Amino acid sequence: MILALLPELGVGTIRLGMSVREAVGAVRELGFASSYSPDHGEAPGQVLCEHGGSGTDFTLGFTKGALTDIHLYRFRVEDADVTVVLDGLDVFRTPSEELLERLMELGHAVEQNDSGVDTLPELKVILSNESSFEYPMDEEGDPIHFDYVLVTSVDFRGPRGD
C-alpha cells in the first residue's frame, strides 16, 4: 500500500475538508478499521483508524464536521507493505536527517528543533520521531526514522504567516 502525502489536500484518497462519513469511507476502502459509527450521533472531533496487518494508524481530526488534520503513525511491523511518500521520498524508511536534507534540496523550507518535531510550514506538514514504540534506533539511542506525520489545513506559521 502506498500512501501519498498531498500537502493541503490530504493523504491518498483521504481529502481535507471531507465529512466524517466521507473520510471514514475513504480510510475503510484502504483496509483500515475505524472507531467511528454513524450511530454515535454528533460529529466527532477525532476518529481513530488502524490497519491491523501493518500496525499503521491514522487519527482523523475534524472541526465542525470537516476533516482538518490527518495524523499518520509509522507502521509497527517493520516489513509491512506500507510506504508513505512525500514528493517521492519514503517518509518512514528514509533516515530522518537524510529526508530533511532531500526535502530542502527539493526547495522546501524546513524548520527543525531539538525536540524531534520538524515542520514544513509552507506545506502545512509536521514530522516527528519521538514515539513511545520501539522503532529502530541509532548508536546513541535516537530514532533513525520519523514515526509520525501530520498533514493539516491549519496554518501553523503564526498570525502573519511567518
Side-chain angles (χ1 to χ4, degrees):
M1 168 182 359
I2 296 174
L3 299 170
L5 303 179
L6 306 168
E8 298 192 61
L9 292 177
V11 175
T13 58
I14 308 161
R15 296 290 191 243
L16 297 169
M18 283 181 153
S19 69
V20 175
R21 286 179 192 244
E22 291 170 326
V24 168
V27 168
R28 287 184 177 155
E29 284 179 18
L30 293 171
F32 285 74
S34 82
S35 64
Y36 175 73
S37 168
D39 301 333
H40 288 153
E42 77 180 64
Q46 291 188 330
V47 173
L48 306 176
C49 306
E50 181 181 46
H51 189 265
S54 67
T56 303
D57 297 332
F58 276 100
T59 301
L60 306 175
F62 297 89
T63 302
K64 297 180 182 177
L67 182 62
T68 55
D69 305 305
I70 303 171
H71 307 257
L72 179 58
Y73 303 89
R74 188 177 193 269
F75 42 85
R76 289 184 299 277
V77 177
E78 281 304 311
D79 61 352
D81 186 22
V82 176
T83 304
V84 177
V85 296
L86 175 61
D87 277 355
L89 302 172
D90 189 331
V91 172
F92 293 146
R93 287 193 176 92
T94 304
S96 55
E97 289 302 316
E98 178 184 338
L99 179 66
L100 294 176
E101 287 173 18
R102 293 182 68 193
L103 288 167
M104 285 187 279
E105 288 170 2
L106 291 172
H108 298 297
V110 175
E111 295 177 1
Q112 293 179 276
N113 69 35
D114 293 334
S115 67
V117 178
D118 302 307
T119 62
L120 298 135
E122 88 277 3
L123 299 180
K124 298 181 183 173
V125 170
I126 295 176
L127 300 162
S128 176
N129 60 5
E130 294 297 316
S131 175
S132 61
F133 290 108
E134 293 185 21
Y135 292 120
M137 302 284 187
D138 64 17
E139 312 80 47
E140 297 163 1
D142 294 322
I144 295 172
H145 308 100
F146 285 113
D147 57 23
Y148 165 85
V149 64
L150 167 69
V151 176
T152 183
S153 61
V154 178
D155 189 352
F156 49 80
R157 291 179 289 183
R160 295 176 294 147
D162 48 24

